[in-house]
């Protein structure tokens, strides 16, 4: 089922079309602008957004559009305000989190009782497309293991959880306008499964012209590329305004487990859920130890005595190397989050969920410079009581962002148990191999064509492959293996090969006889 948005009072609608419903206590009168240029830009933007909305003839559609533009306008004016004031983090105030702010997972009591599951809902962030891996449509429908997609695996996990413990944990998908139509069509195949699937949409915001600070779209139905989803920090506003937050609370749900749909390690953990219930924590973020592969990931910090999320986009250029340092910032955010639903309701009613704005610079296909104002869901940690991080094992962070990641999760390093990837007991090391596949492997279709079968990597530490390289069947890789085919060269790894601590370059052709 899909929950429709509830109409809210809109700051950009005219007086003849006020929308009723839940009202935020913050208003435009509370905004303090420093600088005439910022005030002028805000005024012009308000006029432009009202003009876009005024052209919608259907009243309900106009209400929904004005609601989204209201959220965008508040974000835009906050951006102008912070820009004019030069608001930045004071680097000297940034401290490593205290022992109370980061709890080791090993310190949690082991919990197997299912009593708390009746209070839980699971939400996957499903707004992304598979374009970076050369796929069309939502990323969640890419096949990742045994002919099963990200969505298939998630549904299977929740269905098994519900059946095993005789509970009804709902499975929620936050879609974007990029993924909603395809996702709603695809999930019809799960109608006979023992899982209640709910979808709702995050907001759609207009891209902003960098020079003039005017919205790119000229009408409410402008082409899709002139709009953007404003980051997963929009989850709170969208849950609140859609009415889904109230419906979950009415159903007796108290806790929400949020994660990225492409993180195959983000499964329901009884010990973490029980700890959240017992500790009265309103927000818990799963973090894990940083490696050199994670230097761009956001991290938890202590700032003025409060735990906060620090993203790389917030870091001044002169401190980027400090941010990437494994010595100073030892953990990073997995974006596996456990959040108290009643606390979300309280904070949203108070209207205080202001998250740090991430300015994302883009260039359109026509060459125009635009900006997108986005927020991250983890930044909300500063608004919740008794919020802290939990340092979890690396196994709870298994994202598939590239074909290098896909190589890992399709290999014999893992097996599939009730939709959950479990690392092989035959693997002698606690860490997973470092995989670097070159441009020739970047798209999923090309990746699949270059392997007759995925190699045995149980004893592999590091694999780098660049250039025109193909693999036969039943290949085994051990230790460190580097394969480089320079321009104009090709390397075919023969079926049945065992490569251990080898560097292979030049030409190696195998032709069918």
């Amino acid at each position: 089922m899909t929950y429709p948005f509830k109409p809210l009072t809109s700051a950009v609608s005219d007086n003849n079309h006020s929308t009723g419903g839940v009202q935020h206590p913050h208003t435009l009168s509370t905004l303090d602008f420093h600088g005439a240029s910022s005030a002028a830009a805000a005024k012009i933007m308000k006029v432009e957004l009202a003009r876009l909305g005024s052209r919608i003839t259907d009243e309900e559609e106009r209400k929904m559009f004005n609601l989204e533009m209201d959220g965008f306008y508040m974000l835009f004016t906050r951006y102008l305000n912070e820009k004019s004031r030069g608001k930045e983090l004071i680097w000297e105030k940034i401290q490593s989190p205290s022992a109370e702010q980061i709890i080791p997972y090993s310190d949690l009591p082991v919990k197997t009782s299912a009593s708390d599951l009746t209070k839980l809902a699971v939400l996957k962030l499903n707004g992304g497309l598979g374009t970076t891996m050369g796929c069309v449509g939502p990323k969640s429908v890419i096949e990742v293991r045994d002919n099963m997609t990200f969505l298939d695996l998630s549904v299977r996990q929740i269905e098994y959880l519900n059946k095993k413990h005789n509970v009804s944990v709902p499975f929620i998908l936050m879609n974007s306008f990029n993924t909603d139509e395809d996702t709603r069509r695809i999930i019809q195949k799960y109608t006979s499964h023992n899982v209640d699937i709910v979808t709702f949409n995050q907001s759609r915001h207009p891209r902003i012209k960098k020079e003039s600070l005017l919205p790119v779209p000229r009408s409410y139905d402008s082409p899709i590329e002139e709009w953007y989803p404003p980051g997963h920090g929009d989850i709170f506003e969208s849950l609140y305004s859609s009415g889904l937050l109230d419906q979950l609370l009415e159903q007796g749900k108290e806790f929400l487990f949020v994660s990225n749909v492409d993180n195959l390690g983000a499964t329901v953990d009884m010990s973490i859920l029980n700890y959240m219930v017992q500790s009265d924590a309103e927000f818990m973020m799963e973090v894990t130890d940083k490696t050199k592969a994670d230097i761009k990931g956001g991290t938890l910090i202590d700032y003025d005595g409060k735990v906060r999320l620090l993203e790389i986009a917030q870091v001044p250029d002169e401190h980027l190397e400090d941010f990437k340092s494994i010595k100073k910032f030892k953990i990073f955010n997995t974006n596996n989050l456990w959040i108290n639903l009643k606390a979300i309701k309280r904070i949203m009613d108070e209207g205080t969920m202001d998250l740090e704005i991430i300015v994302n610079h883009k260039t359109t296909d026509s060459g125009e410079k635009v900006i997108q104002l986005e927020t991250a869901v983890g930044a909300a940690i500063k608004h919740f009581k008794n919020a802290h991080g939990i340092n979890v094992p690396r196994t709870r962070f298994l994202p598939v962002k590239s074909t290098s990641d896909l190589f890992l999760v399709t290999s014999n390093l893992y097996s599939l148990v009730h939709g959950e990837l479990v690392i092989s007991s035959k693997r002698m090391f606690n860490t997973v191999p470092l995989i670097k596949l070159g441009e020739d492997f970047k798209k999923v279709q090309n990746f699949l064509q270059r392997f007759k079968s995925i190699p045995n990597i149980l004893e592999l530490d590091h694999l780098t492959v660049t250039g025109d390289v193909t693999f036969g069947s039943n290949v085994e890789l051990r230790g460190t293996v580097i394969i480089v085919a320079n321009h104009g060269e090709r390397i075919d790894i023969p079926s049945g090969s065992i490569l251990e601590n080898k560097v292979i370059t030049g030409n190696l052709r195998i032709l069918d006889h």
Side-chain angles (χ1 to χ4, degrees), residues 358-426:
I358 299 169
V359 182
N360 196 347
H361 295 269
K362 299 279 187 177
T363 302
T364 65
D365 292 339
S366 63
E368 184 175 27
K369 304 288 186 183
V370 299
I371 59 174
Q372 299 177 177
L373 305 180
E374 304 173 6
T375 57
V377 59
I381 192 170
K382 65 181 181 180
H383 290 292
F384 290 83
K385 298 176 182 177
N386 196 23
H388 53 272
I390 298 181
N391 193 343
V392 297
R394 184 78 184 201
T395 52
R396 291 193 57 76
F397 183 68
L398 191 58
V400 181
K401 304 291 185 185
S402 66
T403 51
S404 296
D405 298 327
L406 190 60
F407 176 89
L408 276 176
V409 300
T410 55
S411 73
N412 65 334
L413 194 64
Y414 295 97
S415 58
L416 198 58
V417 181
H418 304 300
E420 181 177 350
L421 287 183
V422 179
I423 198 162
S424 172
S425 59
K426 297 178 182 179

Side-chain angles (χ1 to χ4, degrees), residues 307-353:
V307 64
R308 289 178 62 168
L309 177 67
L310 177 65
E311 296 278 10
I312 192 168
Q314 300 170 258
V315 178
D317 290 343
E318 63 270 23
H319 294 294
L320 277 177
E321 293 308 311
D322 290 339
F323 178 82
K324 294 176 181 179
S325 168
I326 299 176
K327 293 182 179 179
K328 182 167 185 177
F329 300 105
K330 298 179 180 180
I331 49 93
F332 73 97
N333 171 28
T334 66
N335 221 35
N336 299 347
L337 308 169
W338 300 77
I339 312 174
N340 185 296
L341 288 167
K342 291 180 180 177
I344 296 177
K345 173 71 171 174
R346 181 192 74 239
I347 295 168
M348 294 304 296
D349 281 344
E350 294 170 354
T352 57
M353 191 74 83

Side-chain angles (χ1 to χ4, degrees), residues 133 135 142-145 150 264 399-411 435 437 441-445 447-448 454:
M133 295 174 68
C135 297
I142 296 175
E143 290 187 0
V144 289
R145 179 84 192 202
F150 289 107
L264 298 179
V400 181
K401 304 291 185 185
S402 66
T403 51
S404 296
D405 298 327
L406 190 60
F407 176 89
L408 276 176
V409 300
T410 55
S411 73
I435 309 297
L437 301 181
F441 293 79
K442 186 174 182 179
K443 295 183 177 180
V444 172
Q445 184 177 359
F447 167 84
L448 295 173
I454 301 298

Side-chain angles (χ1 to χ4, degrees), residues 276-319:
M276 185 172 194
V277 174
Q278 298 301 321
S279 66
D280 291 326
E282 292 186 344
F283 191 111
M284 297 195 307
M285 174 185 291
E286 293 185 38
V287 298
T288 195
D289 292 343
K290 184 188 286 190
T291 69
K292 291 182 179 179
D294 313 307
I295 56 176
K296 294 183 178 180
T299 188
L300 284 183
I301 59 171
D302 180 289
Y303 195 82
D304 286 339
K306 292 193 69 174
V307 64
R308 289 178 62 168
L309 177 67
L310 177 65
E311 296 278 10
I312 192 168
Q314 300 170 258
V315 178
D317 290 343
E318 63 270 23
H319 294 294

Side-chain angles (χ1 to χ4, degrees), residues 75-115:
L75 195 63
F76 179 71
T77 51
R78 211 158 51 82
Y79 161 71
L80 293 176
N81 201 21
E82 293 177 6
K83 185 179 178 184
S84 65
R85 290 179 175 179
K87 182 180 178 181
E88 287 184 357
L89 288 172
I90 300 173
W91 193 257
E92 290 70 25
K93 286 188 175 183
I94 294 175
Q95 303 293 327
S96 297
S98 66
E100 293 75 25
Q101 291 170 330
I102 305 287
I103 308 297
Y105 179 82
S106 57
D107 287 358
L108 304 186
V110 176
K111 179 73 174 180
T112 56
S113 170
S115 58

Side-chain angles (χ1 to χ4, degrees), residues 19 48 123 137 285 391 413 421 426 490-491 496 509:
T19 56
E48 286 294 309
L123 186 149
M285 174 185 291
N391 193 343
L413 194 64
L421 287 183
K426 297 178 182 179
R490 174 170 168 170
I491 297 176
R509 295 299 309 275

Side-chain angles (χ1 to χ4, degrees), residues 143-209:
E143 290 187 0
V144 289
R145 179 84 192 202
D146 298 352
N147 299 316
M148 299 184 72
T149 67
F150 289 107
L151 271 183
D152 291 336
L153 294 175
S154 294
V155 170
R156 192 171 177 182
Q157 290 169 20
I158 301 301
E159 184 177 35
Y160 176 72
L161 189 75
N162 287 340
K163 183 178 180 180
K164 180 181 179 181
H165 299 289
N166 193 28
V167 292
S168 182
V169 175
F171 180 57
I172 306 168
L173 294 169
M174 185 174 85
N175 302 331
S176 70
F177 62 86
N178 287 318
T179 63
D180 182 58
E181 184 177 346
D182 287 340
T183 300
R184 284 190 291 114
R185 185 178 68 253
I186 291 163
I187 62 175
Q188 296 305 312
K189 69 178 183 178
Y190 305 122
T191 51
S192 62
H193 291 246
N194 180 30
V195 56
D196 184 14
I197 302 177
V198 181
T199 69
F200 72 107
N201 264 13
Q202 67 177 118
S203 302
R204 183 186 71 156
H205 287 182
R207 283 179 154 180
I208 306 164
K209 297 180 180 181

